[in-house]
PDB file of all heavy atoms in Angstrom:
ATOM      1  N   GLU K 517     -34.526-109.728  17.741  1.00  0.00           N
ATOM      2  CA  GLU K 517     -33.133-109.312  17.932  1.00  0.00           C
ATOM      3  C   GLU K 517     -32.360-110.269  18.839  1.00  0.00           C
ATOM      4  O   GLU K 517     -31.415-109.885  19.510  1.00  0.00           O
ATOM      5  CB  GLU K 517     -33.083-107.882  18.505  1.00  0.00           C
ATOM      6  CG  GLU K 517     -33.788-106.863  17.624  1.00  0.00           C
ATOM      7  CD  GLU K 517     -33.871-105.476  18.267  1.00  0.00           C
ATOM      8  OE1 GLU K 517     -33.436-105.343  19.444  1.00  0.00           O
ATOM      9  OE2 GLU K 517     -34.365-104.549  17.609  1.00  0.00           O
ATOM     10  N   GLY K 518     -32.781-111.519  18.884  1.00  0.00           N
ATOM     11  CA  GLY K 518     -32.091-112.515  19.701  1.00  0.00           C
ATOM     12  C   GLY K 518     -32.358-112.397  21.184  1.00  0.00           C
ATOM     13  O   GLY K 518     -31.671-113.045  21.990  1.00  0.00           O
ATOM     14  N   ASN K 519     -33.364-111.608  21.571  1.00  0.00           N
ATOM     15  CA  ASN K 519     -33.661-111.418  22.993  1.00  0.00           C
ATOM     16  C   ASN K 519     -34.329-112.652  23.608  1.00  0.00           C
ATOM     17  O   ASN K 519     -35.016-113.411  22.926  1.00  0.00           O
ATOM     18  CB  ASN K 519     -34.580-110.207  23.177  1.00  0.00           C
ATOM     19  CG  ASN K 519     -33.893-108.908  22.799  1.00  0.00           C
ATOM     20  OD1 ASN K 519     -32.700-108.740  23.019  1.00  0.00           O
ATOM     21  ND2 ASN K 519     -34.647-107.990  22.215  1.00  0.00           N
ATOM     22  N   ASP K 520     -34.138-112.805  24.908  1.00  0.00           N
ATOM     23  CA  ASP K 520     -34.820-113.820  25.708  1.00  0.00           C
ATOM     24  C   ASP K 520     -34.629-115.236  25.152  1.00  0.00           C
ATOM     25  O   ASP K 520     -35.583-116.000  25.002  1.00  0.00           O
ATOM     26  CB  ASP K 520     -36.314-113.494  25.810  1.00  0.00           C
ATOM     27  CG  ASP K 520     -36.972-114.256  26.950  1.00  0.00           C
ATOM     28  OD1 ASP K 520     -36.272-114.665  27.881  1.00  0.00           O
ATOM     29  OD2 ASP K 520     -38.212-114.446  26.889  1.00  0.00           O
ATOM     30  N   THR K 521     -33.401-115.591  24.863  1.00  0.00           N
ATOM     31  CA  THR K 521     -33.107-116.962  24.418  1.00  0.00           C
ATOM     32  C   THR K 521     -32.365-117.768  25.483  1.00  0.00           C
ATOM     33  O   THR K 521     -32.196-118.978  25.311  1.00  0.00           O
ATOM     34  CB  THR K 521     -32.239-116.937  23.144  1.00  0.00           C
ATOM     35  OG1 THR K 521     -31.013-116.233  23.414  1.00  0.00           O
ATOM     36  CG2 THR K 521     -32.970-116.272  21.986  1.00  0.00           C
ATOM     37  N   THR K 522     -31.938-117.139  26.561  1.00  0.00           N
ATOM     38  CA  THR K 522     -31.088-117.823  27.540  1.00  0.00           C
ATOM     39  C   THR K 522     -31.757-119.060  28.123  1.00  0.00           C
ATOM     40  O   THR K 522     -31.163-120.150  28.167  1.00  0.00           O
ATOM     41  CB  THR K 522     -30.695-116.867  28.682  1.00  0.00           C
ATOM     42  OG1 THR K 522     -30.010-115.741  28.140  1.00  0.00           O
ATOM     43  CG2 THR K 522     -29.785-117.568  29.680  1.00  0.00           C
ATOM     44  N   ALA K 523     -32.994-118.908  28.576  1.00  0.00           N
ATOM     45  CA  ALA K 523     -33.685-120.045  29.202  1.00  0.00           C
ATOM     46  C   ALA K 523     -33.844-121.197  28.220  1.00  0.00           C
ATOM     47  O   ALA K 523     -33.620-122.366  28.572  1.00  0.00           O
ATOM     48  CB  ALA K 523     -35.039-119.598  29.741  1.00  0.00           C
ATOM     49  N   SER K 524     -34.213-120.884  26.983  1.00  0.00           N
ATOM     50  CA  SER K 524     -34.401-121.938  25.977  1.00  0.00           C
ATOM     51  C   SER K 524     -33.097-122.645  25.660  1.00  0.00           C
ATOM     52  O   SER K 524     -33.056-123.887  25.528  1.00  0.00           O
ATOM     53  CB  SER K 524     -34.987-121.333  24.694  1.00  0.00           C
ATOM     54  OG  SER K 524     -36.267-120.795  24.933  1.00  0.00           O
ATOM     55  N   LEU K 525     -32.023-121.890  25.543  1.00  0.00           N
ATOM     56  CA  LEU K 525     -30.730-122.509  25.251  1.00  0.00           C
ATOM     57  C   LEU K 525     -30.250-123.371  26.422  1.00  0.00           C
ATOM     58  O   LEU K 525     -29.630-124.422  26.211  1.00  0.00           O
ATOM     59  CB  LEU K 525     -29.698-121.426  24.924  1.00  0.00           C
ATOM     60  CG  LEU K 525     -29.974-120.609  23.652  1.00  0.00           C
ATOM     61  CD1 LEU K 525     -28.895-119.550  23.462  1.00  0.00           C
ATOM     62  CD2 LEU K 525     -30.040-121.518  22.423  1.00  0.00           C
ATOM     63  N   LEU K 526     -30.557-122.950  27.649  1.00  0.00           N
ATOM     64  CA  LEU K 526     -30.199-123.761  28.808  1.00  0.00           C
ATOM     65  C   LEU K 526     -30.994-125.065  28.823  1.00  0.00           C
ATOM     66  O   LEU K 526     -30.460-126.128  29.174  1.00  0.00           O
ATOM     67  CB  LEU K 526     -30.455-122.975  30.097  1.00  0.00           C
ATOM     68  CG  LEU K 526     -29.462-121.847  30.400  1.00  0.00           C
ATOM     69  CD1 LEU K 526     -29.899-121.067  31.639  1.00  0.00           C
ATOM     70  CD2 LEU K 526     -28.052-122.395  30.587  1.00  0.00           C
ATOM     71  N   VAL K 527     -32.265-125.001  28.447  1.00  0.00           N
ATOM     72  CA  VAL K 527     -33.081-126.223  28.371  1.00  0.00           C
ATOM     73  C   VAL K 527     -32.492-127.194  27.357  1.00  0.00           C
ATOM     74  O   VAL K 527     -32.328-128.393  27.636  1.00  0.00           O
ATOM     75  CB  VAL K 527     -34.537-125.868  27.993  1.00  0.00           C
ATOM     76  CG1 VAL K 527     -35.312-127.127  27.596  1.00  0.00           C
ATOM     77  CG2 VAL K 527     -35.236-125.187  29.156  1.00  0.00           C
ATOM     78  N   LEU K 528     -32.166-126.692  26.173  1.00  0.00           N
ATOM     79  CA  LEU K 528     -31.587-127.557  25.138  1.00  0.00           C
ATOM     80  C   LEU K 528     -30.233-128.112  25.571  1.00  0.00           C
ATOM     81  O   LEU K 528     -29.926-129.288  25.331  1.00  0.00           O
ATOM     82  CB  LEU K 528     -31.455-126.773  23.837  1.00  0.00           C
ATOM     83  CG  LEU K 528     -32.776-126.361  23.174  1.00  0.00           C
ATOM     84  CD1 LEU K 528     -32.527-125.362  22.046  1.00  0.00           C
ATOM     85  CD2 LEU K 528     -33.508-127.592  22.645  1.00  0.00           C
ATOM     86  N   SER K 529     -29.431-127.272  26.213  1.00  0.00           N
ATOM     87  CA  SER K 529     -28.122-127.739  26.695  1.00  0.00           C
ATOM     88  C   SER K 529     -28.285-128.815  27.760  1.00  0.00           C
ATOM     89  O   SER K 529     -27.505-129.777  27.817  1.00  0.00           O
ATOM     90  CB  SER K 529     -27.324-126.558  27.258  1.00  0.00           C
ATOM     91  OG  SER K 529     -27.085-125.580  26.263  1.00  0.00           O
ATOM     92  N   ALA K 530     -29.297-128.669  28.602  1.00  0.00           N
ATOM     93  CA  ALA K 530     -29.549-129.677  29.639  1.00  0.00           C
ATOM     94  C   ALA K 530     -29.942-131.012  29.011  1.00  0.00           C
ATOM     95  O   ALA K 530     -29.486-132.078  29.464  1.00  0.00           O
ATOM     96  CB  ALA K 530     -30.643-129.189  30.579  1.00  0.00           C
ATOM     97  N   TRP K 531     -30.774-130.980  27.983  1.00  0.00           N
ATOM     98  CA  TRP K 531     -31.138-132.220  27.287  1.00  0.00           C
ATOM     99  C   TRP K 531     -29.903-132.862  26.646  1.00  0.00           C
ATOM    100  O   TRP K 531     -29.726-134.090  26.714  1.00  0.00           O
ATOM    101  CB  TRP K 531     -32.182-131.922  26.209  1.00  0.00           C
ATOM    102  CG  TRP K 531     -33.573-131.863  26.738  1.00  0.00           C
ATOM    103  CD1 TRP K 531     -34.232-130.759  27.201  1.00  0.00           C
ATOM    104  CD2 TRP K 531     -34.496-132.945  26.876  1.00  0.00           C
ATOM    105  NE1 TRP K 531     -35.489-131.084  27.607  1.00  0.00           N
ATOM    106  CE2 TRP K 531     -35.695-132.416  27.421  1.00  0.00           C
ATOM    107  CE3 TRP K 531     -34.432-134.301  26.581  1.00  0.00           C
ATOM    108  CZ2 TRP K 531     -36.811-133.209  27.678  1.00  0.00           C
ATOM    109  CZ3 TRP K 531     -35.547-135.098  26.837  1.00  0.00           C
ATOM    110  CH2 TRP K 531     -36.717-134.554  27.383  1.00  0.00           C
ATOM    111  N   ALA K 532     -29.048-132.038  26.050  1.00  0.00           N
ATOM    112  CA  ALA K 532     -27.838-132.564  25.427  1.00  0.00           C
ATOM    113  C   ALA K 532     -26.913-133.180  26.468  1.00  0.00           C
ATOM    114  O   ALA K 532     -26.400-134.297  26.286  1.00  0.00           O
ATOM    115  CB  ALA K 532     -27.122-131.454  24.659  1.00  0.00           C
ATOM    116  N   ALA K 533     -26.687-132.469  27.574  1.00  0.00           N
ATOM    117  CA  ALA K 533     -25.792-132.965  28.619  1.00  0.00           C
ATOM    118  C   ALA K 533     -26.341-134.234  29.253  1.00  0.00           C
ATOM    119  O   ALA K 533     -25.590-135.205  29.499  1.00  0.00           O
ATOM    120  CB  ALA K 533     -25.593-131.887  29.683  1.00  0.00           C
ATOM    121  N   ALA K 534     -27.651-134.255  29.521  1.00  0.00           N
ATOM    122  CA  ALA K 534     -28.254-135.453  30.112  1.00  0.00           C
ATOM    123  C   ALA K 534     -28.157-136.627  29.152  1.00  0.00           C
ATOM    124  O   ALA K 534     -27.889-137.766  29.568  1.00  0.00           O
ATOM    125  CB  ALA K 534     -29.713-135.177  30.473  1.00  0.00           C
ATOM    126  N   GLY K 535     -28.361-136.369  27.859  1.00  0.00           N
ATOM    127  CA  GLY K 535     -28.256-137.439  26.871  1.00  0.00           C
ATOM    128  C   GLY K 535     -26.861-138.033  26.814  1.00  0.00           C
ATOM    129  O   GLY K 535     -26.691-139.261  26.755  1.00  0.00           O
ATOM    130  N   ILE K 536     -25.846-137.160  26.836  1.00  0.00           N
ATOM    131  CA  ILE K 536     -24.462-137.644  26.829  1.00  0.00           C
ATOM    132  C   ILE K 536     -24.189-138.497  28.067  1.00  0.00           C
ATOM    133  O   ILE K 536     -23.651-139.618  27.980  1.00  0.00           O
ATOM    134  CB  ILE K 536     -23.477-136.457  26.780  1.00  0.00           C
ATOM    135  CG1 ILE K 536     -23.593-135.726  25.448  1.00  0.00           C
ATOM    136  CG2 ILE K 536     -22.044-136.929  27.001  1.00  0.00           C
ATOM    137  CD1 ILE K 536     -22.815-134.414  25.398  1.00  0.00           C
ATOM    138  N   ALA K 537     -24.568-137.974  29.231  1.00  0.00           N
ATOM    139  CA  ALA K 537     -24.281-138.670  30.487  1.00  0.00           C
ATOM    140  C   ALA K 537     -24.976-140.025  30.544  1.00  0.00           C
ATOM    141  O   ALA K 537     -24.359-141.043  30.882  1.00  0.00           O
ATOM    142  CB  ALA K 537     -24.710-137.801  31.670  1.00  0.00           C
ATOM    143  N   VAL K 538     -26.251-140.055  30.207  1.00  0.00           N
ATOM    144  CA  VAL K 538     -27.006-141.311  30.279  1.00  0.00           C
ATOM    145  C   VAL K 538     -26.485-142.316  29.261  1.00  0.00           C
ATOM    146  O   VAL K 538     -26.373-143.517  29.563  1.00  0.00           O
ATOM    147  CB  VAL K 538     -28.509-141.038  30.063  1.00  0.00           C
ATOM    148  CG1 VAL K 538     -29.288-142.347  29.946  1.00  0.00           C
ATOM    149  CG2 VAL K 538     -29.071-140.210  31.204  1.00  0.00           C
ATOM    150  N   THR K 539     -26.160-141.855  28.066  1.00  0.00           N
ATOM    151  CA  THR K 539     -25.626-142.754  27.039  1.00  0.00           C
ATOM    152  C   THR K 539     -24.340-143.427  27.511  1.00  0.00           C
ATOM    153  O   THR K 539     -24.172-144.653  27.384  1.00  0.00           O
ATOM    154  CB  THR K 539     -25.357-141.981  25.738  1.00  0.00           C
ATOM    155  OG1 THR K 539     -26.582-141.417  25.265  1.00  0.00           O
ATOM    156  CG2 THR K 539     -24.783-142.897  24.659  1.00  0.00           C
ATOM    157  N   LEU K 540     -23.424-142.647  28.065  1.00  0.00           N
ATOM    158  CA  LEU K 540     -22.141-143.195  28.511  1.00  0.00           C
ATOM    159  C   LEU K 540     -22.302-144.085  29.743  1.00  0.00           C
ATOM    160  O   LEU K 540     -21.707-145.170  29.816  1.00  0.00           O
ATOM    161  CB  LEU K 540     -21.167-142.054  28.799  1.00  0.00           C
ATOM    162  CG  LEU K 540     -20.776-141.195  27.590  1.00  0.00           C
ATOM    163  CD1 LEU K 540     -19.877-140.043  28.020  1.00  0.00           C
ATOM    164  CD2 LEU K 540     -20.087-142.042  26.527  1.00  0.00           C
ATOM    165  N   VAL K 541     -23.100-143.646  30.705  1.00  0.00           N
ATOM    166  CA  VAL K 541     -23.299-144.452  31.919  1.00  0.00           C
ATOM    167  C   VAL K 541     -23.981-145.769  31.583  1.00  0.00           C
ATOM    168  O   VAL K 541     -23.595-146.837  32.096  1.00  0.00           O
ATOM    169  CB  VAL K 541     -24.120-143.660  32.952  1.00  0.00           C
ATOM    170  CG1 VAL K 541     -24.554-144.569  34.107  1.00  0.00           C
ATOM    171  CG2 VAL K 541     -23.313-142.493  33.491  1.00  0.00           C
ATOM    172  N   ALA K 542     -24.988-145.730  30.704  1.00  0.00           N
ATOM    173  CA  ALA K 542     -25.676-146.956  30.316  1.00  0.00           C
ATOM    174  C   ALA K 542     -24.718-147.931  29.641  1.00  0.00           C
ATOM    175  O   ALA K 542     -24.778-149.148  29.874  1.00  0.00           O
ATOM    176  CB  ALA K 542     -26.844-146.630  29.390  1.00  0.00           C
ATOM    177  N   ALA K 543     -23.819-147.407  28.805  1.00  0.00           N
ATOM    178  CA  ALA K 543     -22.850-148.275  28.124  1.00  0.00           C
ATOM    179  C   ALA K 543     -21.891-148.912  29.116  1.00  0.00           C
ATOM    180  O   ALA K 543     -21.580-150.102  29.033  1.00  0.00           O
ATOM    181  CB  ALA K 543     -22.084-147.460  27.080  1.00  0.00           C
ATOM    182  N   VAL K 544     -21.399-148.118  30.078  1.00  0.00           N
ATOM    183  CA  VAL K 544     -20.475-148.649  31.087  1.00  0.00           C
ATOM    184  C   VAL K 544     -21.159-149.714  31.942  1.00  0.00           C
ATOM    185  O   VAL K 544     -20.599-150.793  32.187  1.00  0.00           O
ATOM    186  CB  VAL K 544     -19.938-147.510  31.977  1.00  0.00           C
ATOM    187  CG1 VAL K 544     -19.154-148.075  33.155  1.00  0.00           C
ATOM    188  CG2 VAL K 544     -19.058-146.569  31.153  1.00  0.00           C
ATOM    189  N   LEU K 545     -22.361-149.435  32.392  1.00  0.00           N
ATOM    190  CA  LEU K 545     -23.077-150.394  33.246  1.00  0.00           C
ATOM    191  C   LEU K 545     -23.391-151.676  32.497  1.00  0.00           C
ATOM    192  O   LEU K 545     -23.301-152.776  33.053  1.00  0.00           O
ATOM    193  CB  LEU K 545     -24.369-149.761  33.764  1.00  0.00           C
ATOM    194  CG  LEU K 545     -24.192-148.601  34.749  1.00  0.00           C
ATOM    195  CD1 LEU K 545     -25.546-148.029  35.155  1.00  0.00           C
ATOM    196  CD2 LEU K 545     -23.412-149.055  35.981  1.00  0.00           C
TER     197      LEU K 545
END
Side-chain angles (χ1 to χ4, degrees):
E517 302 174 356
N519 294 325
D520 197 23
T521 59
T522 302
S524 297
L525 295 179
L526 287 175
V527 167
L528 293 169
S529 299
W531 277 91
I536 293 171
V538 172
T539 300
L540 296 176
V541 170
V544 171
L545 292 178

